[in-house]
Amino acid sequence: MSGLAAAFDPFEGPYQVDPAEALRWSRDQLPVFYSPKLGYWIVSRYDDIKSVFRDNVLYSPRNALEKITPATPEAMKVLASYGYAMNRTLVNEDEPAHMERRRVLLDHFMPENLEAKQEMVRRLTREKIDGFIDRGRVDLVEEMLYEVPLTIALHFLGVPEDEIERMRSFAVAHAVNTWGRPTPEQQIEVAHAVGRFWQYAGEVIEKMRADPDGEGWMHYTIRKNAEIPEIVTDSYVHSMMMAIIVAAHETTSLASTNMFKTLLTHRDAWEDVCADPSLIPNAVEECLRYAGSMVAWRRETTAPAQLGGVELPAGAKLLIVQASGNQDERHFEDGDKFDIYRDNAVEHLTFGYGSHQCLGKNIGRLEMRIFLEEMSRRLPHLRLAEQEFTYLPNTSFRGPNNLWVEWNPEQNPERANPALRRGGVHFPVGAPLRKEIARKVRVTAVRREADGVLGLTLEDVRGRPLPRWSAGAHGELCLGEYERKYSLCGRPDAPGYDVAILLEEQGRGGSRYLHEVVRPGTELKLRGPNNLFRLDESARGYVLVAGGIGITPILAMADRLKMLGRDYVIHYAGRSRASMAFLARLESDHGGHVRIYSKQEGERVDLPAIVGSLAEGAQIYACGPARMIRALEDLSAELPGNTLHFEHFSAQGSGLDPEQESAFEVELMDSGLTVAVAADTTLLEAIRAVGIDLASDCCEGLCGSCEVTVLEGEIDHRDLVLTRSERAENRRMMACCSRAKSGGRIKLA
Ligand code: HEM
Ligand code: FES
């Protein structure tokens, strides 16, 4: 075991300062490791964390609310004296009980039922800001971010508001009790507070039972407890009453505090939000990714498991560190940078993932958006005051105890323009739409890279550095309806992004527009960068194969491999030398490594020979026309699964013809729903229509971002992402384009 694993202590040192940074070494070297100080296995990479969340049978949530520091016998005695019997709620309940209960209790959280809450959040936020706007200096936690989420939470639950003060002292005790490391003396004190909270939760339930028609989710839960006590049990109601206060309130208060701290320390982002409130939904998502309030969650294996190359025994306790996964470079390009234009920020793990994914995520989002909208409109000159931040030491909940901010009230814009006091932008409930997220870039150089190939250099319109990117990454240029991905192919240290655009005679006109209209100085919108064609840097050798414009990601890969001093060869085929971009650069930078094949000169790339002579442990990276990729697939069918990696630059077909398609049904096991997919609807659209967030990107079966897990049923695969062997396994499909075979029924995770 490495010394770093032995030294890992989540209650002090680097993890308390910055959990993502504290686990950078683990993400890079040892993504799953045992921490003897905690008695838990720590999981730090995005994909591993997501796969744990995804499988709630192998990785049971039953330990999610367990005391992470076992209680001393004295503390146990104190707890027992209060009749403390914290048990299963939703978040720590196993299947099938969990899903049965979740489905019964889901309705209140549906977006259509939350719309009406916006007004109340807005009103409470305004009242708070009215109260301090002329003061010039406040602790935002004390003045707003603690109390408003608590009031909203109690209102949502239907708990009488006169209980606010008592709730407040209890919540901290519950957090320390569950996720902290109190000393033996503190354990006694905490046990008394928790015991009182437990009794008090019981009293609140009794009070609520006396008002059987009361509003709010807990009233509803209590009614369901009377109707179906075998599903919504007594023990559940009491335990939930205690847990939900922290779940609904503490999470949102801390996330909002982190949000203001992060934005005010990234002044450019704050100013962008003040100037353009439409950026707010994604800025909130990026704050949840970069500095979420829930940094680590727990699971326990129910059988031996393999995770991140490590064998875990049955009964292994896992601390899955979302804060670390959220900054994993393997999923988020330039992951440790805060970037409100990041178009996949919404894929963060702060709300968990899968069947237990936070039910209240849209309430949290809604509050954070309104806080940010009101503050940035009324106090754009807000600054962070000099201060030392303090945190409650624990594994999971993160956010400073106080947040001192200051401003000059003389400059409050509403003194000159009182209309600013009201106004406000309305954001629809739910995840932000990806199509609305893009950064503005300016073309700084235009080149002719080859016949019909235009080279552009793009830089941020305000001259700020663009995010770093990794070999194989692409950016997406957006021109009105036209959206097209282009691999980044510049030198890695260059300040701007280089792309090469092939004029597509048969295309939708976007490439022609770019070829004809773009000049140095033209402003464009760019989404990304994202990387769906990653280089596995641990291979023993590399064969890079490019056809035509497919050279662009291959060039970036070659640059990277050269920098790493690795063994690589490039095979580059094209119609004619005149039509092949980057020949001169390839010659100068990769001279001895390149083989060029020009069809015009009768040269053909010999794919069978290339695959046949592949050294053991070497990998092939290919980008080019579908024909070339399919040939490589056939040739490498017998080779180990990780040998061939490819990216297409054109999709087959598009659109759905209801005459040709059949409707089908899909059962979504994680959310317990059955969804009908009509003949003219994609599976992706049908899943989204029932309120489930599912990432997507190309919507053409190219990018792999809409992948879903298949449990049962025959699939008509229409994507260009899965390899033949992956299709044969029948374990995954692309929801944007693939369907059930001839009207059959399928089951997805
Ligand atoms: C579950 C985070 C706000 C209610 C969870 C989980 C996390 C989380 C990490 C566990 C997910 C899993 O196991 O996959 C957050 C964060 C919030 C927030 C970061 C705010 C920014 C809320 C609010 C409510 C709420 C406002 C209620 C009003 C719940 C419930 C569950 C849950 C009921 C259990 C769901 C289940 O197990 O089926 N939350 N939460 N949360 N959250 Fe939230
Ligand atoms: Fe790209 Fe489905 S969204 S493959």
Side-chain angles (χ1 to χ4, degrees):
M1 191 212 318
S2 90
L4 290 163
F8 178 76
D9 185 340
F11 299 107
E12 52 189 45
Y15 184 92
Q16 282 302 311
V17 177
D18 181 347
E21 186 54 35
L23 285 169
R24 183 188 290 277
W25 69 271
S26 160
R27 291 196 294 283
D28 290 342
Q29 299 163 33
L30 198 57
V32 177
F33 70 91
Y34 184 72
S35 157
K37 288 196 178 170
L38 192 64
Y40 275 67
W41 294 83
I42 313 300
V43 185
S44 61
R45 278 193 191 161
Y46 184 91
D47 284 349
D48 293 334
I49 296 172
K50 206 160 176 178
S51 64
V52 169
F53 272 129
R54 193 175 270 138
D55 188 343
N56 63 358
V57 176
L58 182 56
Y59 300 104
S60 160
R62 65 169 77 120
N63 63 341
L65 299 182
E66 211 169 79
K67 286 162 70 62
I68 202 160
T69 304
T72 57
E74 293 74 25
M76 297 275 269
K77 253 191 229 152
V78 172
L79 286 169
S81 71
Y82 289 92
Y84 177 72
M86 181 72 173
N87 202 333
R88 299 300 176 93
T89 63
L90 272 177
V91 86
N92 59 352
E93 181 64 282
D94 280 313
E95 301 306 339
H98 161 258
M99 198 42 84
E100 263 184 311
R101 201 174 280 162
R102 183 169 160 122
R103 286 168 69 184
V104 169
L105 301 174
L106 196 72
D107 255 21
H108 280 242
F109 293 95
M110 283 291 145
E112 58 275 20
N113 295 330
L114 298 180
E115 224 18 274
K117 303 268 177 266
Q118 302 232 35
E119 203 208 303
M120 180 182 180
V121 178
R122 184 77 72 179
R123 178 173 51 77
L124 291 172
T125 309
R126 281 185 179 161
E127 280 169 17
K128 290 291 175 198
I129 299 177
D130 286 347
F132 64 64
I133 193 153
D134 291 323
R135 299 228 299 262
R137 180 181 159 89
V138 291
D139 171 7
L140 262 193
V141 177
E142 192 56 35
E143 297 294 332
M144 184 170 97
L145 299 180
Y146 196 89
E147 201 175 306
V148 179
L150 183 54
T151 312
I152 301 292
L154 295 181
H155 178 81
F156 175 80
L157 301 173
V159 174
E161 276 178 40
D162 53 351
E163 307 291 353
I164 282 195
E165 270 315 308
R166 290 178 72 190
M167 287 289 179
R168 193 170 174 151
S169 63
F170 291 147
V172 173
H174 178 45
V176 173
N177 185 49
T178 315
W179 294 281
R181 187 168 62 190
T183 60
E185 298 75 53
Q186 287 165 334
Q187 286 231 17
I188 304 288
E189 207 181 303
V190 167
H192 278 292
V194 169
R196 284 197 297 271
F197 189 4
W198 176 256
Q199 284 192 341
Y200 168 70
E203 285 163 27
V204 174
I205 291 166
E206 284 320 307
K207 216 167 162 182
M208 291 172 85
R209 280 207 166 102
D211 175 17
D213 301 323
E215 290 198 356
W217 188 62
M218 279 310 290
H219 271 293
Y220 180 76
T221 301
I222 288 167
R223 288 196 286 277
K224 289 287 164 195
N225 169 237
E227 264 173 51
I228 35 172
E230 66 292 355
I231 294 177
V232 181
T233 61
D234 288 350
S235 152
Y236 161 79
V237 175
H238 197 155
S239 298
M240 193 59 173
M241 187 69 238
M242 186 159 153
I244 192 68
I245 299 296
V246 176
H249 162 235
E250 213 58 32
T251 50
T252 314
S253 277
L254 293 174
S256 307
T257 313
N258 290 336
M259 170 176 75
F260 283 106
K261 177 171 180 277
T262 306
L263 280 165
L264 292 173
T265 42
H266 293 83
R267 196 76 204 173
D268 285 348
W270 171 262
E271 284 171 7
D272 285 4
V273 162
C274 292
D276 179 3
S278 75
L279 297 171
I280 287 174
N282 200 54
V284 165
E285 234 50 48
E286 176 66 353
C287 289
L288 286 163
R289 182 196 73 88
Y290 181 82
S293 52
M294 195 66 99
V295 295
W297 206 240
R298 285 181 282 169
R299 290 290 190 261
E300 187 174 324
T301 56
T302 53
Q306 228 215 15
L307 185 67
V310 171
E311 302 288 339
L312 299 171
K317 290 175 189 274
L318 311 184
L319 186 75
I320 45 178
V321 186
Q322 294 123 293
S324 168
N326 282 347
Q327 295 197 18
D328 188 349
E329 304 276 341
R330 290 154 202 82
H331 190 84
F332 295 105
E333 286 291 279
D334 211 4
D336 58 4
K337 288 283 166 339
F338 180 68
D339 174 13
I340 59 170
Y341 300 96
R342 186 184 295 280
D343 64 311
N344 64 347
V346 71
E347 291 168 19
H348 64 76
L349 299 167
T350 302
F351 290 128
Y353 181 77
S355 59
H356 287 270
Q357 195 188 39
C358 178
L359 269 178
K361 64 184 175 179
N362 286 326
I363 306 179
R365 282 177 169 145
L366 177 162
E367 292 184 50
M368 292 171 73
R369 290 171 186 178
I370 292 179
F371 295 157
L372 181 52
E373 200 275 326
E374 287 285 331
M375 289 292 284
S376 59
R377 175 166 41 83
R378 299 181 67 183
L379 290 169
H381 50 317
L382 192 72
R383 300 208 161 257
L384 212 50
E386 281 279 316
Q387 65 202 295
E388 292 264 315
F389 294 104
T390 57
Y391 293 82
L392 183 74
N394 77 100
T395 54
S396 299
F397 281 82
R398 185 173 167 82
N401 294 324
N402 309 87
L403 189 75
W404 285 96
V405 289
E406 51 194 18
W407 66 99
N408 180 354
E410 309 269 312
Q411 290 171 6
N412 289 357
E414 62 195 47
R415 292 198 179 180
N417 178 7
L420 282 174
R421 211 167 288 154
R422 295 299 171 244
V425 179
H426 175 89
F427 304 108
V429 174
L433 297 177
R434 188 177 167 278
K435 69 175 167 53
E436 285 168 9
I437 307 159
R439 67 184 85 241
K440 283 196 197 135
V441 289
R442 178 172 296 125
V443 176
T444 53
V446 178
R447 295 167 296 276
R448 189 176 158 279
E449 300 285 11
D451 284 356
V453 181
L454 180 76
L456 302 181
T457 300
L458 309 167
E459 291 183 21
D460 181 86
V461 281
R462 298 188 208 184
R464 297 175 194 160
L466 288 168
R468 286 173 301 167
W469 54 281
S470 55
H474 64 266
E476 196 170 350
L477 281 179
C478 319
L479 301 168
E481 288 297 292
Y482 175 82
E483 296 184 345
R484 196 83 163 88
K485 293 192 180 65
Y486 295 100
S487 297
L488 304 186
C489 54
R491 291 196 170 85
D493 48 358
Y497 292 165
D498 283 358
V499 292
I501 296 157
L502 175 71
L503 179 65
E504 291 171 278
E505 300 290 355
Q506 310 300 325
R508 283 173 284 169
S511 68
R512 176 164 302 282
Y513 175 87
L514 288 167
H515 272 253
E516 288 172 2
V517 175
V518 167
R519 300 279 172 271
T522 306
E523 283 191 13
L524 296 170
K525 280 193 170 171
L526 179 83
R527 202 173 285 143
N530 280 307
N531 197 340
L532 301 161
F533 189 33
R534 273 181 200 282
L535 194 60
D536 171 356
E537 294 184 356
S538 68
R540 286 211 218 128
Y542 298 84
V543 174
L544 310 178
V545 185
I549 196 66
I551 188 63
T552 48
I554 296 297
L555 183 59
M557 288 181 170
D559 288 344
R560 175 72 185 162
L561 293 170
K562 180 178 175 185
M563 206 193 93
L564 295 173
R566 312 305 288 274
D567 190 11
Y568 66 98
V569 56
I570 311 166
H571 297 276
Y572 178 18
R575 260 186 302 113
S576 64
R577 286 189 165 252
S579 71
M580 293 168 74
F582 303 117
L583 287 179
R585 166 131 125 77
L586 282 164
E587 198 49 55
S588 67
D589 292 1
H590 301 283
H593 299 260
V594 200
R595 318 271 177 278
I596 307 288
Y597 310 86
S598 151
K599 195 173 168 192
Q600 199 181 49
E601 290 165 37
E603 296 157 344
R604 284 275 163 137
V605 54
D606 186 352
L607 296 178
I610 290 173
V611 178
S613 60
L614 198 69
E616 203 187 319
Q619 295 183 2
I620 305 173
Y621 288 80
C623 184
R627 219 174 342 101
M628 182 187 104
I629 304 291
R630 287 291 170 228
L632 281 170
E633 272 206 283
D634 288 342
L635 291 163
S636 51
E638 304 297 316
L639 297 176
N642 196 27
T643 307
L644 175 65
H645 305 256
F646 54 79
E647 186 169 70
H648 285 272
F649 56 80
S650 68
Q652 294 165 341
S654 65
L656 286 174
D657 177 359
E659 302 281 311
Q660 303 289 322
E661 306 289 351
S662 325
F664 61 100
E665 262 192 5
V666 52
E667 250 183 278
L668 302 171
M669 303 310 283
D670 288 353
S671 42
L673 298 169
T674 300
V675 180
V677 186
D680 63 350
T681 307
T682 65
L683 174 59
L684 177 70
E685 289 163 344
I687 292 179
R688 288 210 177 130
V690 293
I692 295 175
D693 300 339
L694 182 60
S696 71
D697 195 340
C698 66
C699 290
E700 296 181 81
L702 290 173
C703 72
S705 54
C706 65
E707 180 180 313
V708 289
T709 305
V710 177
L711 299 177
E712 227 177 274
E714 284 200 80
I715 309 301
D716 173 5
H717 291 285
R718 302 178 180 187
D719 62 276
L720 296 172
V721 176
L722 296 181
T723 60
R724 200 160 287 179
S725 56
E726 284 168 336
R727 286 176 183 197
E729 276 173 18
N730 206 36
R731 283 188 11 221
R732 40 177 105 179
M733 71 185 287
M734 297 302 139
C736 66
C737 58
S738 300
R739 306 176 72 79
K741 259 193 189 152
S742 58
R745 188 183 167 97
I746 56 174
K747 268 192 198 171
L748 303 179

